[in-house]
Amino acid sequence: MLSLTYQIEIKASPQEVWQRLTDAGYYKQWAIAFSPDSQFEGNWASGEEVIFFDPNLGGSRAVVDRAEMNHSLAYHHISIFTPDHVQDVDSDIAMKWIGSSEAFEIIQHQEGVILKVNVTTHPDFTAMFNSGWEKALPLIKLLCEGENT
């Protein structure tokens, strides 16, 4: 597994950043960077499951490891599934994906916050995460700073 880190400065409160990350409506606006109809279902609470999906492409099931409102959020992936909701834990791609994790830190900084994203993943997914976060972080910034709301 590789560790990847991304970050951006945002002129907003930790509460605003947290809301943009965890609210389903806002999530769809920035997660489009990863897939055209990205969405999630579930609760952002430790031990809860969250399902990330695009109805046309399938998705991933994750377990929340940590959810400290307005401060940090971490989860790890436990399976993938097809658009028909068939769970996969045995294929080569599933075996590479399972265990991947994402962690968000919202760090108070001068006039706003630094949003830091730490990803641990198989090397096969590096390009997807690099491309996705390169596009997603500026979208989150826009949503938080009110330029796109």
Side-chain angles (χ1 to χ4, degrees), residues 18 21-22 43-50 52 61-78 99-106 115-120 133:
W18 177 266
L21 291 175
T22 61
N43 296 314
W44 297 112
S46 295
E48 293 288 327
E49 284 192 6
V50 176
F52 301 96
R61 183 180 313 273
V63 174
V64 178
D65 299 310
R66 181 179 69 251
E68 298 175 34
M69 185 177 280
N70 306 325
H71 179 65
S72 66
L73 177 65
Y75 50 84
H76 68 279
H77 298 276
I78 60 171
S100 293
S101 64
E102 297 175 67
F104 301 81
E105 289 181 75
I106 301 169
L115 173 60
K116 188 174 182 180
V117 182
N118 293 302
V119 176
T120 302
W133 283 113

Side-chain angles (χ1 to χ4, degrees), residues 6-148:
Y6 313 93
Q7 69 180 42
I8 194 165
E9 289 186 39
I10 302 172
K11 292 180 182 174
S13 70
Q15 295 82 1
E16 290 169 311
V17 175
W18 177 266
Q19 181 191 32
R20 296 334 183 258
L21 291 175
T22 61
D23 175 84
Y26 283 116
Y27 178 87
K28 289 179 82 165
Q29 293 179 57
W30 63 262
I32 194 168
F34 293 94
S35 135
D37 197 15
S38 287
Q39 43 196 294
F40 76 85
E41 291 177 356
N43 296 314
W44 297 112
S46 295
E48 293 288 327
E49 284 192 6
V50 176
I51 298 171
F52 301 96
F53 64 98
D54 181 315
N56 301 309
L57 302 174
S60 175
R61 183 180 313 273
V63 174
V64 178
D65 299 310
R66 181 179 69 251
E68 298 175 34
M69 185 177 280
N70 306 325
H71 179 65
S72 66
L73 177 65
Y75 50 84
H76 68 279
H77 298 276
I78 60 171
S79 72
I80 62 174
F81 57 89
T82 67
D84 299 328
H85 299 285
V86 175
Q87 183 169 271
D88 177 2
V89 295
D90 299 317
S91 70
D92 183 51
I93 193 166
M95 298 289 282
K96 290 175 181 177
W97 183 252
I98 292 169
S100 293
S101 64
E102 297 175 67
F104 301 81
E105 289 181 75
I106 301 169
I107 305 161
Q108 193 79 48
H109 175 74
Q110 295 174 355
E111 297 177 22
V113 302
I114 294 174
L115 173 60
K116 188 174 182 180
V117 182
N118 293 302
V119 176
T120 302
T121 191
H122 187 277
D124 286 2
F125 302 112
T126 301
M128 177 204 67
F129 279 115
N130 285 344
S131 173
W133 283 113
E134 179 181 306
K135 297 171 190 166
L137 287 175
L139 292 173
I140 294 167
K141 180 180 176 80
L142 285 172
L143 289 168
C144 292
E145 293 180 351
E147 298 172 24
N148 196 29

